[in-house]
Amino acid sequence: MQLAEKRGIKEPQLWTLLGAALKQEGDFDNAVDAWRKALKIDSSHQEALENWAAHEAECGSKKVAIRLFERIVDINPTHAEARMHLGILLRQDGQLKRATEHLKISAELNNTDWVAQFNYATHLQQLGRTTEALEYLQKAQSLNPNLERDIKEHMHDKNTGSETMGNSNR
């Protein structure tokens, strides 16, 4: 980090990669500092925002993660993954109307992603909107024949502290 500062690196991608490497090493404070430096150079650097937002969500800093995911969506309204994570965090924060909006848009944008469909179905079920929830659950199942196994894995992850369904790149 000091070497990068000493050399006066002005490329946000390098700061973003440095932040990711520092996070992987467990140096969370310096990772966040690196992402901040990337955003100081380019305030809309999406990868820096994504890394920082995901980190804050993992650490339980819901309010910070929400603000960062909102920035991503402001920059790129069609960022389905950011909308999905934002919706989940808003739901956890009790902002159900906003959560519904983002999870629905994520499911619409990501209509071939079973994770987005499943997350929206789960949200609708929690709201008592069973008929709509079944529709999205059936879509998730049609997209993922192993849905039952993956739900069991999700429940295991949830029981060990992870709230989101995870990466939709499954």
Side-chain angles (χ1 to χ4, degrees), residues 82-95:
R83 283 190 179 273
M84 181 175 68
H85 290 292
L86 178 57
I88 291 167
L89 289 165
L90 290 167
R91 179 178 65 215
Q92 291 172 351
D93 197 45
Q95 299 181 49

Side-chain angles (χ1 to χ4, degrees), residues 132-166:
E132 288 174 89
L134 282 173
E135 177 185 329
Y136 284 91
L137 186 57
Q138 288 170 343
K139 179 149 188 180
Q141 196 164 27
S142 74
L143 293 167
N144 180 5
N146 298 314
L147 183 62
E148 188 174 335
R149 182 201 67 203
D150 290 338
I151 289 171
K152 286 177 184 174
E153 286 177 16
H154 166 64
M155 296 311 291
H156 172 74
D157 291 345
K158 194 172 180 179
N159 289 334
T160 59
S162 173
E163 176 65 24
T164 63
M165 187 61 194

Side-chain angles (χ1 to χ4, degrees), residues 33 35 73 85 107-108 118 130 134 165:
D33 286 344
W35 295 321
V73 169
H85 290 292
E108 290 169 352
F118 178 80
T130 307
L134 282 173
M165 187 61 194

Side-chain angles (χ1 to χ4, degrees), residues 56 60-70 89 93 95:
E56 294 297 342
S61 300
K62 214 179 319 182
K63 300 285 186 195
V64 175
I66 286 171
R67 280 197 327 269
L68 291 167
F69 279 120
E70 285 172 336
L89 289 165
D93 197 45
Q95 299 181 49

Side-chain angles (χ1 to χ4, degrees), residues 87 90-91 93-105 120 123 127 129:
L90 290 167
R91 179 178 65 215
D93 197 45
Q95 299 181 49
L96 300 180
K97 185 175 180 179
R98 291 185 62 218
T100 302
E101 172 191 343
H102 288 288
L103 289 169
K104 181 178 183 179
I105 292 170
Y120 187 46
H123 178 70
L127 294 176
R129 294 166 56 181

